[in-house]
C-alpha cells in the first residue's frame, strides 16, 4: 500500500535551519501538506498545497517539492518550534499521513 | 471565529457502539467537506473518514469501512461519526476537521481541527 515516509526524529540548534522530508511514490500526483502538533494539543496546519502558508503561520515555515519528496523547512528555528511534524497527501480519495518527525530544538 | 467541538467519546467494550458529534460554529458548515481523523495514544495521525458538503459523497479508511458511518446535519451545524463493532485498535483521540480544497476525488487539507474526544475500547 502507498506510504509517506518521514524520519522519526531530528534535532536542530536554535537559529539554525531544520529540513524535514516526506517521501512517497505518488507525491508527484498530489499536493503535500504539513501539520505541527505540540504535546497535548491538536494538530495545526503549517503548509498546504506543497508551499502555501496559512495566515498566522510565521514566515520561517516554508514548503517545497522535488521529485517524490516534499520538504518542510523551518528557517531560524526557535524553541517554540519543538514539536511533532506530519506530512499528509492523498491517494485517490484516501488521505494519508506520514509517521511523523519529532523535532527537538537544542 | 471558527470552532469545532467534539463530544461523545468514552469507554466502550469491544463489539460495542458509540456515536461521536462535532459541533461547528463561526463558519457555514454547508460550504465545506468535513473529516474525522484519529490518533491512538502515543501514535501518529490516521485519517478515518470524509463527507462532502451536502453529504452526498462519503469516504472511509480501509480499517473502518463497513463499521463506521459518517454523516452531517447542516441545519444543526453538526458532524457525526457512528462507530459500530468497535475493536481495541479503535482506541484513540478522534478529531473533526474542516477539509478545505477537497472534492469527491479527495485532495485538500485539514484546517482547523477540534480539540478531540477520547474513545477507549476495552473490556
Amino acid at each position: 500500500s502507498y506510504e509517506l515516509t518521514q524520519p522519526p526524529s531530528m534535532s536542530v540548534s536554535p537559529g539554525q535551519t531544520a529540513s524535514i522530508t516526506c517521501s512517497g511514490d505518488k507525491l508527484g500526483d498530489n499536493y503535500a501538506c504539513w501539520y505541527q502538533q505540540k504535546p497535548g494539543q491538536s494538530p495545526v496546519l503549517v503548509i498546504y498545497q506543497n508551499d502555501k502558508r496559512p495566515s498566522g503561520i510565521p514566515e520561517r515555515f516554508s514548503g517545497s517539492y522535488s521529485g517524490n519528496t516534499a520538504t518542510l523547512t523551518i528557517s531560524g528555528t526557535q524553541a517554540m518550534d519543538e514539536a511533532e511534524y506530519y506530512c499528509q497527501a492523498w491517494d485517490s480519495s484516501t488521505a494519508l499521513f506520514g509517521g511523523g518527525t519529532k523535532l527537538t530544538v537544542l | 471565529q471558527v470552532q469545532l467541538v467534539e463530544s461523545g467519546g468514552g469507554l466502550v467494550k469491544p463489539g460495542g457502539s458509540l456515536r461521536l458529534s462535532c459541533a461547528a460554529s463561526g463558519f457555514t458548515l454547508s460550504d465545506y467537506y468535513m473529516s474525522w481523523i484519529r490518533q491512538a495514544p502515543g501514535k501518529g495521525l490516521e485519517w478515518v473518514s470524509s463527507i462532502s458538503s451536502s453529504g452526498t459523497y462519503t469516504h472511509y479508511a480501509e480499517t473502518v469501512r463497513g463499521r463506521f458511518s459518517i454523516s452531517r446535519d447542516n441545519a444543526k451545524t453538526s458532524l457525526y461519526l457512528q462507530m459500530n463493532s468497535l475493536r481495541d485498535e479503535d482506541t484513540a483521540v478522534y478529531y473533526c476537521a474542516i477539509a478545505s480544497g477537497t472534492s469527491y476525488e479527495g485532495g485538500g487539507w485539514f484546517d482547523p481541527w477540534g480539540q478531540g474526544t477520547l474513545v477507549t475500547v476495552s473490556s
Side-chain angles (χ1 to χ4, degrees):
Chain A
S1 61
Y2 179 46
E3 293 182 350
L4 297 175
T5 302
Q6 299 180 235
S9 63
M10 65 180 303
S11 61
V12 62
S13 300
Q16 297 303 302
T17 296
S19 294
I20 302 173
T21 59
C22 172
S23 60
D25 289 343
K26 298 185 182 180
L27 274 180
D29 302 328
N30 296 281
Y31 289 121
C33 308
W34 292 91
Y35 303 88
Q36 176 195 68
Q37 186 179 33
K38 296 180 180 180
Q41 298 183 19
S42 302
V44 173
L45 179 73
V46 294
I47 294 290
Y48 67 103
Q49 290 186 334
N50 287 341
D51 58 7
K52 293 181 172 58
R53 193 173 53 250
S55 61
I57 300 301
E59 291 184 8
R60 64 179 180 275
F61 288 88
S62 63
S64 62
Y65 167 75
S66 179
N68 291 330
T69 301
T71 302
L72 172 68
T73 300
I74 309 172
S75 305
T77 306
Q78 300 183 8
M80 68 174 64
D81 300 330
E82 185 164 290
E84 192 88 20
Y85 291 86
Y86 296 91
C87 63
Q88 179 253 312
W90 290 80
D91 177 13
S92 184
S93 57
T94 298
L96 300 169
F97 287 93
T101 299
K102 180 174 175 56
L103 178 67
T104 302
V105 182
L106 44 68
Chain B
Q1 75 280 19
V2 173
Q3 194 168 16
L4 299 169
V5 179
E6 301 92 337
S7 61
L11 176 62
V12 61
K13 289 182 168 53
S17 298
L18 212 54
R19 189 196 197 204
L20 306 184
S21 298
C22 172
S25 60
F27 68 105
T28 304
L29 182 64
S30 57
D31 286 345
Y32 293 94
Y33 264 75
M34 297 293 293
S35 293
W36 288 97
I37 301 141
R38 68 184 181 183
Q39 186 170 35
K43 302 297 184 182
L45 301 171
E46 180 188 16
W47 171 79
V48 173
S49 181
S50 291
I51 186 169
S52 62
S53 55
S54 64
T56 302
Y57 300 105
T58 57
H59 304 289
Y60 298 93
E62 199 60 46
T63 52
V64 306
R65 187 172 295 129
R67 299 187 299 122
F68 289 12
S69 177
I70 190 171
S71 62
R72 63 194 296 159
D73 186 333
N74 289 336
K76 294 184 178 179
T77 63
S78 291
L79 174 73
Y80 306 102
L81 185 68
Q82 177 66 44
M83 304 185 296
N84 299 329
S85 303
L86 282 162
R87 306 168 179 167
D88 290 352
E89 55 265 34
D90 295 319
T91 294
V93 173
Y94 285 73
Y95 298 98
C96 68
I98 296 176
S100 294
T102 299
S103 72
Y104 71 93
E105 296 175 312
W109 54 95
F110 304 115
D111 179 55
W113 301 48
Q115 88 290 345
T117 186
L118 176 62
V119 172
T120 303
V121 184
S122 175
S123 54

